[in-house]
Amino acid sequence: QVQFVESGGGKVQPGGSLRLSCAASGSIFNIVTMGWYRQAPGKQRELVASITWHRNTNYVDSVQGRFTISRDNAKNTVYLQMDTLKPEDTAVYYCNKAPQPSDSWGQGTQVTVSS
């Protein structure tokens, strides 16, 4: 079963930037749509960005224009560039298949936006 390892989170001030990385294992990576999800305290996990094998992208309205998802198929890695971060972006970020995720979730990476 494919596994995901997320990294790159941290604490930044509002307006700052972070770049998240997701390393995936298994050949399924090259034939699926990948996504970045986030879960804030007390809220349900939500899909915020997705990218197809052909690099077509979609974003939830709240991050449109600020986040950029990309993928490197040769490295089995997906990235999320996050700019102009806001306190409401604070959450644990995960990667997985999209729009229907697998049951195999990584441990995620914490993003905290605070002054």
Side-chain angles (χ1 to χ4, degrees):
Q1 190 173 9
V2 65
Q3 296 180 329
F4 307 104
V5 179
E6 302 90 352
S7 62
K11 182 178 180 180
V12 296
Q13 294 185 342
S17 297
L18 283 173
R19 188 191 193 208
L20 307 184
S21 297
C22 166
S25 65
S27 61
I28 192 172
F29 182 88
N30 286 326
I31 60 172
V32 300
T33 299
M34 289 294 299
W36 279 97
Y37 299 76
R38 69 184 180 188
Q39 186 167 21
K43 295 187 177 181
Q44 289 188 334
R45 191 175 293 170
E46 65 169 340
L47 176 64
V48 297
S50 63
I51 184 167
T52 69
W53 191 89
H54 295 286
R55 295 179 174 79
N56 295 316
T57 58
N58 277 290
Y59 302 91
V60 67
D61 287 347
S62 59
V63 309
Q64 179 75 47
R66 300 187 298 118
F67 289 11
T68 303
I69 188 172
S70 61
R71 66 191 289 169
D72 185 334
N73 289 335
K75 295 182 178 180
N76 285 341
T77 302
V78 182
Y79 305 96
L80 186 68
Q81 176 67 40
M82 305 187 297
D83 298 316
T84 320
L85 282 161
K86 303 177 180 180
E88 51 263 43
D89 295 319
T90 295
V92 179
Y93 284 72
Y94 305 86
C95 65
N96 206 318
K97 296 167 55 180
Q100 184 62 46
S102 74
D103 293 332
S104 179
W105 293 93
Q107 62 182 18
T109 186
Q110 174 71 48
V111 171
T112 303
V113 185
S114 173
S115 56

